[in-house]
Amino acid sequence: MAGAPTLSATPGAHVARPGTRAWIALAILTFVYVLNFLDRQLLSILAKPIQDDLGVSDGQLGLIGGLYFAMFYCILAIPVGWLADRTNRVKVLAFSCALWSAATAACGMASTYPQLVLARMTVGIGEAGGVPPSYAIISDYFPPGMRGTALSLYNMGPPIGQALGVAFGASVAAAWSWRLAFIWVGAIGVVTGLVVWFAVREPRRGGLDGNVVPEPPRQAGPVAATTAPGFWPTCAMFFRDPVLLRVALACAATQFITYATMNFTVLFLMREKGMELGDVAVWYALVVLFGVSAGMVASGRLVDRLVPRGKAAYAWVPAVGLMLAVPFFVGFIWAPGWPLALAFLLLPMGLNYFYLSPAVTLVQQEVRPDQRVLAGALLLLVMNLIGLGFGPTYLGLASDFFRPAYPDSSLQMAFYTLLPFYGVAIGLFLWLAKALKQQRKEVAP
């Protein structure tokens, strides 16, 4: 790998087993991730009442849930990641959780669209310090042979957060108002930030990588392997390395689909499939919870099992998942009513997320322990700037474009235009598989 030593296993080395503290830390970090996604998804879940109250269009919803949010979330994750690699990662995470939660509560107090935009941008600023430090903390609590499973359990945060957001947000909005849902979730998040600050201990960087040894760096000299990497050298290394760059681009293409879908599915089911908020709170929540959770856990287990036979599994697992998802996604768009649409959506909900656990595990394995937060932030920069920034923005604008000709099915037509992006994502994962095979040939004795 360019710019950083590659880690290789020491034959016969003992693999440390994580203790109780590691599992407690994983549970707390996963709950923070649940809140991260719950906060983020409330906007899409409550899109219909927000539209009715503030009078915003599909395009404006796409911008506020996509580009406006992503500009701060993606870009600020880089300096925050660099800071966390050099300071206390747990405290960075705790402060970030409290900040985005306070901003979520502010969303419930917005009375105009610009105020809502400002609050959502602040949520993005806070969430920039959420996921990358967590990736690195977990990687230092769990040894290499268990990181795929641990990170897949952590990555259950999004489906649980989405499901709770659907059930909680829709129920509160139906019984009281959409504003109260934002305020309550924000208050819970501020308290959780305090729990992280006092309950999670900062693990030693690379403390469980004793069973791996760095290969001699090409530049030679013992200092090269131990000197802390700088900000710009780490960025340059990430974008020069064919494996890291390709996994980021493949994830970006996949997230273009997943974030576009996630931000408009509830509105699509309610406005064009006849679903009510009460139905959303139960049935859509269950589809999200079981579909995405199964995808996260299954993909993490698959890579832990298959990677010892060949690292190309990091690419093949998500590629095959996306291939299998396409026909069911078409059925979801086509279905004449919401019950059949949800039945078709269940499998894509899981298969579309086969990419995340393999991608995160691969990046954390490929870089040095003191580069993990920044490398995770760079991964998120690429995939979220493209996927989160432009996926919802594109779908919302596409719906506005189709509305004059298809006033009752503009979102359906917009969803059909996402199908070519499946082909792009699959092609990029196959491109990644090629780089992983080439890497294996280069390191083979």
Side-chain angles (χ1 to χ4, degrees):
M1 175 186 298
T6 303
L7 300 178
S8 57
T10 303
H14 173 69
V15 178
R17 306 297 297 180
T20 302
R21 182 177 295 276
W23 293 107
I24 292 174
L26 177 61
I28 294 173
L29 296 184
T30 302
F31 183 70
V32 173
Y33 204 10
V34 167
L35 289 178
N36 180 303
F37 251 76
L38 201 164
D39 292 355
R40 194 183 307 178
Q41 293 312 304
L42 276 179
L43 183 71
S44 61
I45 294 158
L46 302 175
K48 186 66 167 59
I50 291 172
Q51 278 190 328
D52 295 341
D53 192 357
L54 300 183
V56 298
S57 68
D58 289 356
Q60 288 176 313
L61 276 176
L63 284 167
I64 196 174
L67 189 59
Y68 293 159
F69 178 91
M71 282 191 302
F72 289 90
Y73 175 67
C74 298
I75 295 172
L76 286 178
I78 305 305
V80 170
W82 179 82
L83 176 67
D85 268 331
R86 283 152 179 77
T87 59
N88 189 298
R89 297 166 293 184
V90 170
K91 288 182 169 53
V92 170
L93 173 63
F95 176 80
S96 299
C97 179
L99 176 61
W100 85 58
S101 298
T104 297
C107 292
M109 304 174 190
S111 57
T112 64
Y113 179 70
Q115 289 176 0
L116 187 60
V117 169
L118 181 61
R120 294 306 292 176
M121 286 179 171
T122 308
V123 172
I125 293 171
E127 290 193 6
V131 179
S134 297
Y135 285 160
I137 293 168
I138 292 169
S139 294
D140 282 335
Y141 266 120
F142 291 84
M146 294 188 65
R147 281 178 191 153
T149 298
L151 287 167
S152 72
L153 292 173
Y154 172 73
N155 282 328
M156 287 183 67
I160 296 173
Q162 291 175 59
L164 285 178
V166 172
F168 175 81
S171 299
V172 171
W176 292 285
S177 77
W178 64 269
R179 297 179 182 279
L180 199 58
F182 280 99
I183 293 170
W184 283 2
V185 169
I188 294 170
V190 172
V191 175
T192 303
L194 294 174
V195 172
V196 173
W197 186 283
F198 292 108
V200 179
R201 180 180 297 176
E202 173 79 358
R204 186 164 64 93
R205 286 175 170 83
L208 294 180
D209 290 326
N211 62 317
V212 294
V213 295
E215 294 176 359
R218 294 188 183 93
Q219 289 83 358
V223 178
T226 57
T227 302
F231 176 83
W232 292 114
T234 299
C235 293
M237 175 276 297
F238 187 95
F239 290 107
R240 281 200 307 262
D241 187 278
V243 168
L244 297 177
L245 177 60
R246 293 182 194 189
V247 72
L249 291 175
C251 288
T254 307
Q255 285 204 163
F256 190 97
I257 301 164
T258 60
Y259 273 116
T261 302
M262 188 188 309
N263 275 266
F264 282 97
T265 292
V266 172
L267 186 60
F268 178 50
L269 291 171
M270 292 183 65
R271 197 170 72 194
E272 299 185 16
K273 304 291 185 182
M275 206 171 188
E276 300 292 337
L277 268 177
D279 298 321
V280 169
V282 177
W283 300 111
Y284 180 63
L286 290 173
V287 168
V288 170
L289 177 62
F290 289 106
V292 184
S293 296
M296 294 292 190
V297 174
S299 59
R301 298 283 292 179
L302 280 171
V303 295
D304 275 346
R305 184 177 295 271
L306 297 177
V307 163
R309 305 176 191 176
K311 287 178 67 175
Y314 283 121
W316 278 107
V317 167
V320 172
L322 290 171
M323 292 175 193
L324 295 174
V326 172
F328 296 96
F329 190 73
V330 173
F332 156 69
I333 303 169
W334 161 84
W338 68 262
L340 184 57
L342 282 184
F344 275 118
L345 184 60
L346 181 60
L347 277 177
M349 270 291 179
L351 295 169
N352 282 352
Y353 285 90
F354 264 38
Y355 75 97
L356 189 55
S357 295
V360 171
T361 306
L362 175 60
V363 171
Q364 295 295 300
Q365 292 281 83
E366 287 288 296
V367 301
R368 289 166 42 160
D370 53 0
Q371 293 176 305
R372 282 178 178 150
V373 181
L374 183 52
L378 290 166
L379 172 68
L380 293 178
L381 169 68
V382 177
M383 67 187 199
N384 284 331
L385 190 59
I386 296 173
L388 174 58
F390 294 104
T393 303
Y394 164 81
L395 196 64
L397 293 175
S399 178
D400 286 348
F401 173 80
F402 285 116
R403 177 157 298 180
Y406 302 91
D408 298 324
S409 58
S410 62
L411 270 173
Q412 182 183 48
M413 299 305 298
F415 268 109
Y416 276 124
T417 67
L418 291 177
L419 294 175
F421 292 98
Y422 272 98
V424 174
I426 292 166
L428 287 170
F429 275 114
L430 296 179
W431 191 39
L432 170 63
K434 183 178 180 181
L436 289 168
K437 289 178 181 178
Q438 182 63 36
Q439 183 189 71
R440 185 177 182 179
K441 292 177 182 177
E442 291 174 355
V443 300

